[in-house]
Amino acid sequence: MRLLLAYLCLLFSFESLSEENTLTDKALPKADFLQNRLNTMMQDTASWLDGIGDDTDGVNSKGVNSNDNKASANGYLQLSWLPRTANLDDVDANFKVALNLPQWNERLALVIDNDDEDEVLLDYESNYVNNNQDGVNVAFQYIKQFNQQRQIKNRIGISRKQLYLRSEMQFNWLVQQINLKLQPRLDYFLQDGWGPGAKAVVTYPLEQSYFSLSASWQKIQSESRSRRKVGFYHIKPAGNNKLFVSGVQYIKSNNQADTSNESYYLSIRYRNLVYKSWMYFEVEPFIEFNQLNNFKREAGIALSLISYYGN
């Protein structure tokens, strides 16, 4: 099903691209040309999918011209190389595509990615440590924003090679310049059962930087143990396009064989805009103490190139 959907999207996108390939596109630098083609492909795919849900001849249910609320796409492609003491050739590729479909519903989006969709990620977490995802996730996402303090996000899709449902709420408070965030959520996987979870974040601002303390808990019904995470980070912006994130995180997880694993991870992450407004470079030296390696010290560095597209 996922392969069929991807094939149909790419087929219609490349057809539109072949019709709109101009001399102006060909005159662009190679990096701009590739980013422009990717962006055009995703925007055309969003428009095509959104058109399936448009049966109102250009006028939506509220009597507003549908051309004023066009479909759009945004996302990223991340390529990473993670040499470390025990493995010098570890590479990783991550992507995310969000297709906003206003003709279906103003708050509805189709999200396609290859993240560990079942994981509750901490704010500023380095997710190189426990990336066990080996497939593609496809989900329809509906977000209802009540106000700046509350929102609810619902999803239905395919992840962990099975159908899943998710409902997640987010609460935000500001107490004497300290930001508090609470995110309870409930998953249901067709094969793995229920998966309740929660994340709490405390952000404390400084003069030119801030601290972030995150903690999460999650329990998948098919797993014998719960997952737990704690992370403490210092975030310092360096201008408009540079960012330093240093921190330490503790993760207690379960692998695909339901074997418990603990790890302690210390790192310093540097992120910089390297080309126009859409290409970033990240470098993150780290030290990890992992239970699978008898908590022996393992040093490494993560090098990533991230390309964004869309609005």
Side-chain angles (χ1 to χ4, degrees), residues 103-120:
Q103 301 308 322
W104 294 46
N105 189 286
E106 293 179 356
R107 302 183 181 92
L108 185 68
L110 176 63
V111 181
I112 305 172
D113 60 38
N114 66 337
D115 294 337
D116 279 335
E117 186 57 41
D118 57 311
E119 283 286 336
V120 178

Side-chain angles (χ1 to χ4, degrees), residues 94-106:
N94 295 290
F95 71 90
K96 175 166 286 188
V97 180
L99 306 175
N100 301 302
L101 309 173
Q103 301 308 322
W104 294 46
N105 189 286
E106 293 179 356

Side-chain angles (χ1 to χ4, degrees), residues 114-165:
N114 66 337
D115 294 337
D116 279 335
E117 186 57 41
D118 57 311
E119 283 286 336
V120 178
L121 293 177
L122 302 176
D123 285 16
Y124 304 102
E125 176 182 345
S126 296
N127 59 347
Y128 304 113
V129 183
N130 294 299
N131 191 353
N132 297 318
Q133 179 69 12
D134 57 359
V136 176
N137 311 308
V138 180
F140 282 100
Q141 175 176 278
Y142 179 88
I143 299 178
K144 172 65 175 178
Q145 184 85 34
F146 297 99
N147 48 48
Q148 292 186 349
Q149 286 74 40
R150 290 188 301 138
Q151 76 170 27
I152 186 169
K153 180 191 298 182
N154 296 316
R155 277 194 179 193
I156 178 171
I158 297 175
S159 182
R160 296 167 62 100
K161 301 179 181 179
Q162 57 191 293
L163 183 69
Y164 80 99
L165 304 172

Side-chain angles (χ1 to χ4, degrees), residues 121-128 181 199 201-203 210-214 231-237 243-249 265 267 269 271 282 284:
L121 293 177
L122 302 176
D123 285 16
Y124 304 102
E125 176 182 345
S126 296
N127 59 347
Y128 304 113
K181 181 171 66 175
K199 179 176 74 172
V201 183
V202 179
T203 304
Y210 53 96
F211 289 113
S212 176
L213 175 63
S214 301
F232 182 68
Y233 310 93
H234 177 245
I235 302 94
K236 180 176 176 56
L243 185 70
F244 289 92
V245 179
S246 57
V248 56
Q249 61 191 43
Y265 186 92
S267 70
R269 188 185 322 154
R271 179 186 178 99
E282 279 190 2
E284 183 175 358

